[in-house]
Amino acid sequence: MTENQNFKPCDLVIYGALGDLSKRKLLISLYRLEKHHLIEADTRIIGVDRLDETSDGFVEIAHKSLQAFLNNDIDDSIWQRFAQRLSYLKIDLTQPEQYKQLNKAIDPEKRVMVNYFAVSPLLFKSICHGLHNSGALTTESRMVMEKPIGHDLKSSVEINDVVAQVFHENQVYRIDHYLGKETVLNLLALRFANSLFYTCWNHNTIDHIQITVGEDIGIEGRWDYFDKTGQLRDMLQNHLLQILTFVTMEPPADLSAHSIHMEKIKLLKALRPITYLNVEEKTVRGQYTAGYIQGKPVPGYLEEAGANTESITESFVAIRVDIDNWRWAGVPIYMRTGKRMPNKRTEIVVNFKNLPHNIFKDSFHELPANKLVIHLQPNEGVDVMMLNKIPGIDGNIKLQQTKLDLSFSETFKKNRIFGGYEKLILEALRGNPTLFLSREEIEQAWTWVDSIQDAWQHNHTPPKPYPAGNWGPVASVALLARDGRAWEE
Ligand code: BG6
């Protein structure tokens, strides 16, 4: 018996089925959902691409991808069930008449058509029109797309406009895979289900917040794409701003997509603009040079395969964000993200204010303030740093900083933590838009980020070098030091 018996089966059409995203993420996630009986029995997966291939060939390609990315951990009976869902259509997406085949392959009476656009946004227009003109779409049909949704506000509006000609906003599912991460969602529970945080989540009690998304990997053969994009657009415009909104937005009225989107948009509108006048003091751009990651030598950004040795694209960015609203006035949020950091680490550190008076001077000249550390990946969990008395009977009260820690893998041993893509694909199949991005939200995020990008360009701000294996350039340390603070290490 499937868990999701109340959901309608789907015709999931993957455009770009033979591409990297499909092979590395989508097919793997779908197989994992199959394994856990989370896909409706009648759901079909139709791979669409322009290459000559048959359905049998597609099944074989899917099997090879699973072998490669799941280290051969494939259960034969699950695979047989999964393979039966797969079929392939060779369609040149720029040729409107070829969409007729697709029309024949789907069955809108029985199944909802879910169109996953795993192709370049340059093809979105052709697909939307091809689908519309072929008559394949109904008001129930959905479309799923993911970043890059533009590289600035203008291009993002263009993409959204093209899609809006054919799909109503409530049919569009824009993915940010960070919203599928269990720990990002847990932020809602942590903040809005625990009375402990209800009164202290504001400028009265919180001194500042840090958000770090570090990766030890470099550009991984994506130099061309990355060089045109940079870390600000690739990571901060989407993933970090999403984390920021979950940490700082007002409580939504309920958990509906509409209520959550409204609060996120309000928060994004309250971000103080960074312009060419203050960009040098509020941001740090960095680019890695050769160095060592976990003891192994790695090349610098300009020495990666296919690199343009003159490039001034940033692989690291640190920013001081100010939120102009009642809750967060005077509480800076420091965000940093980069490639070739010492390790992969995504975490949020909420630093509480110091106590007004210290009666434990024997232990600490200045009492360390409490910290709430939320580990998003790896080792998902939540720690609270607090002070406790060291046991002893010598008459003095001696304090030590201790950690109250909740590890997800220990606490929820029986519950498997699903990957971001699994969760989001499932929600798209179920027709639940809560974890997807609204158009207004994305455009608001671009408005804020564009102003930083323009300011760097206006000032000709070059990236500062940092050796691979470090947490960015020294200027990133100075960004906090100027405010009398330091990054959590
Ligand atoms: C992607 C970026 O959106 O997120 C990549 O394009 C980055 O550059 C990746 O490596 C990081 O995702 P995760 O889930 O590994 O933190």
Side-chain angles (χ1 to χ4, degrees):
M1 184 51 61
T2 60
E3 257 188 42
N4 51 339
Q5 48 193 308
N6 295 325
F7 297 97
K8 260 185 130 171
C10 300
D11 275 319
L12 172 62
V13 185
I14 303 177
Y15 304 90
L18 303 180
D20 215 39
L21 176 66
S22 165
K23 290 198 274 191
R24 290 171 77 97
K25 301 276 186 195
L26 308 185
L27 292 170
I28 312 295
S29 305
L30 285 160
Y31 171 81
R32 288 193 169 132
L33 293 173
E34 179 80 68
K35 181 172 170 184
H36 294 273
H37 297 274
L38 288 164
I39 307 184
E40 276 294 322
D42 283 337
T43 288
R44 300 278 165 269
I45 301 166
I46 306 169
V48 169
D49 216 308
R50 70 197 152 113
L51 300 178
D52 255 329
E53 199 46 85
T54 58
S55 287
D56 287 346
F58 181 50
V59 168
E60 209 170 301
I61 290 171
H63 195 253
K64 282 201 183 120
S65 303
L66 295 184
Q67 279 175 326
F69 295 108
L70 295 177
N71 291 329
N72 284 324
D73 178 17
I74 307 172
D75 178 296
D76 199 50
S77 64
I78 300 166
W79 163 250
Q80 293 304 337
R81 227 167 53 219
F82 183 63
Q84 275 178 12
R85 300 180 188 273
L86 302 175
S87 63
Y88 180 82
L89 288 177
K90 178 196 169 196
I91 296 184
D92 178 343
L93 296 170
T94 61
Q95 300 304 312
E97 76 285 356
Q98 296 198 12
Y99 287 79
K100 284 188 202 132
Q101 310 176 54
L102 191 53
N103 221 351
K104 286 193 205 131
I106 59 169
D107 187 348
E109 300 269 294
K110 286 202 195 134
R111 295 187 282 269
V112 179
M113 187 184 200
V114 178
N115 299 280
Y116 201 118
F117 286 31
V119 288
S120 153
L122 296 175
L123 285 167
F124 285 13
K125 195 172 183 174
S126 309
I127 306 179
C128 286
H129 289 165
L131 281 172
H132 180 68
N133 296 337
S134 73
L137 299 176
T138 70
T139 50
E140 272 195 323
S141 310
R142 297 169 206 146
M143 79 84 72
V144 185
M145 65 167 148
E146 60 181 290
K147 61 176 279 249
I149 302 177
H151 57 272
D152 56 11
L153 177 63
K154 185 169 170 284
S155 48
S156 163
V157 167
E158 277 164 17
I159 294 174
N160 284 323
D161 279 349
V162 160
V163 170
Q165 285 172 15
V166 173
F167 294 96
H168 189 268
E169 178 66 13
N170 66 13
Q171 297 175 283
V172 181
Y173 290 63
R174 297 181 190 83
I175 286 191
D176 181 318
H177 77 276
Y178 268 54
L179 293 193
K181 290 187 193 279
E182 205 51 68
T183 34
V184 175
L185 294 181
N186 188 48
L187 290 170
L188 290 177
L190 195 78
R191 285 193 57 201
F192 305 126
N194 291 294
S195 56
L196 181 65
F197 299 121
Y198 168 61
T199 47
C200 69
W201 209 258
N202 56 41
H203 66 99
N204 290 324
T205 349
I206 293 177
D207 177 73
H208 74 282
I209 298 175
Q210 300 182 9
I211 300 175
T212 294
V213 181
E215 293 178 273
D216 50 2
I217 57 169
I219 302 309
E220 310 288 292
R222 297 192 306 157
W223 209 90
D224 209 32
Y225 159 78
F226 188 85
D227 199 56
K228 289 193 200 101
T229 312
Q231 194 73 356
L232 178 71
R233 293 178 173 127
D234 186 47
M235 293 293 289
L236 196 132
Q237 187 273 345
N238 36 72
H239 308 323
L240 277 91
L241 283 185
Q242 283 303 317
I243 297 175
L244 175 73
T245 55
F246 272 74
V247 174
T248 55
M249 70 183 181
E250 293 300 309
D254 50 42
L255 289 177
S256 68
H258 179 69
S259 301
I260 293 181
H261 288 159
M262 295 288 286
E263 295 308 335
K264 283 159 79 184
I265 293 163
K266 249 165 59 190
L267 191 279
L268 290 167
K269 282 187 176 161
L271 300 185
R272 190 178 302 164
I274 295 177
T275 66
Y276 71 94
L277 294 172
N278 58 6
V279 75
E280 307 303 336
E281 102 210 26
K282 299 257 190 164
T283 71
V284 176
R285 296 183 81 201
Q287 189 186 70
Y288 62 85
T289 55
Y292 290 84
I293 301 279
Q294 281 129 40
K296 289 205 186 106
V298 295
Y301 182 74
L302 301 179
E303 294 137 24
E304 297 275 9
N308 155 17
T309 51
E310 306 280 291
S311 169
I312 53 159
T313 298
E314 78 286 350
S315 59
F316 172 91
V317 44
I319 296 195
R320 174 187 159 133
V321 183
D322 291 279
I323 303 176
D324 287 328
N325 68 15
W326 284 67
R327 184 183 289 271
W328 298 114
V331 182
I333 320 284
Y334 301 97
M335 304 203 283
R336 64 177 168 173
T337 177
K339 307 275 186 241
R340 289 292 190 217
M341 307 271 97
N343 45 50
K344 183 160 178 76
R345 183 169 125 204
T346 303
E347 77 184 16
I348 303 161
V349 184
V350 180
N351 290 270
F352 290 89
K353 287 194 167 161
N354 283 108
L355 285 173
H357 180 59
N358 177 7
I359 57 170
F360 298 101
K361 290 221 168 66
D362 283 352
S363 297
F364 287 98
H365 177 61
E366 206 174 308
L367 286 176
N370 293 131
K371 277 181 203 186
L372 173 72
V373 184
I374 304 164
H375 305 275
L376 302 184
Q377 59 184 12
N379 309 326
E380 294 89 345
V382 179
D383 300 338
V384 182
M385 300 304 296
M386 54 200 307
L387 290 163
N388 276 296
K389 177 185 172 301
I390 304 170
I393 49 166
D394 63 0
N396 290 328
I397 297 189
K398 283 269 180 206
L399 302 187
Q400 186 180 315
Q401 210 175 13
T402 47
K403 191 156 87 177
L404 242 182
D405 73 16
L406 178 141
S407 144
F408 275 36
S409 55
E410 274 300 306
T411 313
F412 302 107
K413 271 193 194 112
K414 289 198 198 120
N415 303 62
R416 173 170 175 267
I417 297 184
F418 282 85
Y421 270 95
E422 290 165 66
K423 174 112 189 124
L424 294 173
I425 292 173
L426 184 62
E427 294 299 293
L429 292 175
R430 288 175 167 180
N432 176 9
T434 312
L435 301 181
F436 298 85
L437 309 177
S438 68
R439 172 175 186 159
E440 199 180 346
E441 200 179 331
I442 293 196
E443 294 180 357
Q444 195 59 47
W446 273 126
T447 304
W448 189 74
V449 162
D450 276 1
S451 148
I452 299 172
Q453 194 75 45
D454 291 349
W456 283 342
Q457 217 163 336
H458 177 277
N459 292 3
H460 304 288
T461 311
K464 297 189 166 58
Y466 61 96
N470 283 272
W471 288 103
V474 183
S476 160
V477 178
L479 179 76
L480 271 72
R482 275 202 296 276
D483 298 343
R485 301 184 175 106
W487 288 108
E488 181 75 15
E489 293 306 343

